Amino acid sequence: MDTEDLGLFGPGSVTWKVHEEPVLIVAGLRSLYLQALHPRAMAGVAQNSNYRTDAWGRLVRTATYVATTIYGTTAEAEAAGRRLRTRHARMRATDPFTGGEFRVDDPELLRWVHVTEVESFVSTARRAGLALTDDEVDGYYTEQRRSAALVGLDPYDVPGTAAEVADYYRDVRPQLRMTREAAETALFLTAPPIPWKLSLPARVGLNLGPPRWAYFGIAATALGMLPPWALRLYGGLGLPTTALSADLSARALRLALAAVPRRYREGPLQQAAKERAARLTAA
């Protein structure tokens, strides 16, 4: 096993440029709001996940998986993909409308999750102020076909340009609904339990300390960055100026995070990847 390769992407990739941005915490939340609007995808999560009782644990596991695919070696990324495919292959769920059983690793559902994630990552980074050309955005989508292959998708069945992503969203929109599960999930995403170590005591039983208000701000920004059609499905949330306000908030958050020392905003996998790249460049 090569422990010194650059993985699926590397320092010259658009993927590394995009995922250098700590503001992608907003993108991750945005993608979850989007994913909740697909009834079958939402049913698959609700019927096979403990996200309500272990929200932060699930968040950490998801973030670790994404970081492994972006910054791990090729062997580490492929091993993470195999584990995910094995786990998904065992899962079944019941369609909320037809009552029929379906596999969670249905390519249609995997494609929805993949596209909402990568579109959220690159669009959030760009709207928060990262300078990306249209060619670089297309390059990001094309590169991310490698991530799609890890979860079991045929890379050529996944949108590889911004135009193809727009076409995909147009085609899938008739399947999207504001279901009860979507509404409950959106509410949970907006006000999840804060880990007790981050909470401040409250004599009246409310948890409204600084971490809670900071999270509210991130959630509001993520909601505001949803496509207009998704906001309409959520009941027309927001005003005509919502998108502009969300962009300004994302830009302010990006500037604030840029002031945090690099050793605190980069995870161990990202740091290790940069160290490997430096060794290979110097060799």
Side-chain angles (χ1 to χ4, degrees):
M1 181 175 67
D2 189 352
T3 59
E4 285 294 298
D5 78 351
L6 293 175
L8 299 182
F9 304 104
S13 65
V14 188
T15 293
W16 271 33
K17 180 176 181 178
V18 170
H19 286 266
E20 178 81 9
E21 297 292 318
V23 77
L24 292 195
I25 186 175
V26 175
L29 191 54
R30 178 188 185 272
S31 73
L32 294 177
Y33 282 119
L34 270 177
Q35 289 165 22
L37 292 171
H38 194 301
R40 279 161 56 90
M42 189 64 255
V45 171
Q47 296 172 33
N48 288 278
S49 170
N50 61 345
Y51 76 95
R52 290 184 183 276
T53 57
D54 186 29
W56 298 99
R58 188 171 188 270
L59 175 64
V60 169
R61 290 189 292 274
T62 300
T64 300
Y65 174 81
V66 172
T68 301
T69 64
I70 301 298
Y71 295 111
T73 64
T74 300
E76 289 170 338
E78 290 177 345
R82 281 194 301 273
R83 290 192 295 271
L84 187 65
R85 292 195 304 274
T86 299
R87 190 159 62 248
H88 283 169
R90 297 192 296 264
M91 295 179 179
R92 303 290 187 274
T94 301
D95 188 295
F97 297 115
T98 69
E101 185 179 80
F102 63 90
R103 293 174 60 111
V104 169
D105 60 358
D106 181 333
E108 175 192 338
L109 304 182
L110 295 178
R111 190 179 301 109
W112 168 250
V113 171
H114 171 81
V115 174
T116 54
E117 282 188 353
V118 298
E119 186 271 327
S120 290
F121 285 143
V122 74
S123 65
T124 298
R126 202 179 200 186
R127 290 170 66 177
L130 178 64
L132 290 170
T133 66
D134 290 344
D135 285 344
E136 284 179 311
V137 172
D138 285 347
Y140 177 78
Y141 286 128
T142 301
E143 289 174 5
Q144 283 302 307
R145 283 175 160 170
R146 301 170 199 168
S147 297
L150 291 179
V151 302
L153 286 165
D154 181 339
Y156 295 101
D157 287 340
V158 174
T161 66
E164 290 176 2
V165 168
D167 289 342
Y168 170 78
Y169 274 151
R170 186 189 63 246
D171 292 342
V172 80
R173 278 171 57 184
Q175 303 175 39
L176 307 182
R177 298 285 186 278
M178 179 57 168
T179 62
R180 177 178 176 178
E181 284 184 333
E184 291 176 346
T185 298
L187 179 60
F188 181 84
L189 290 171
T190 305
I194 296 294
W196 68 268
K197 289 184 179 180
L198 297 179
S199 303
L200 293 181
R203 295 180 181 177
V204 294
L206 295 176
N207 179 9
L208 296 176
R212 170 67 71 189
W213 290 116
Y215 182 86
F216 277 157
I218 292 172
T221 301
L223 270 171
M225 297 186 88
L226 289 176
W229 52 262
L231 284 172
R232 286 194 294 272
L233 285 173
Y234 273 119
L237 294 173
L239 301 169
T241 57
T242 295
L244 176 59
S245 297
D247 287 0
L248 293 174
S249 295
R251 287 174 178 263
L253 179 59
R254 180 173 182 254
L255 290 174
L257 291 172
V260 176
R262 189 175 294 274
R263 65 181 181 277
Y264 295 125
R265 53 187 169 91
E266 290 186 351
L269 286 165
Q270 186 176 3
Q271 293 174 10
K274 289 186 174 182
E275 290 169 2
R276 282 199 311 278
R279 288 195 298 271
L280 290 170
T281 301

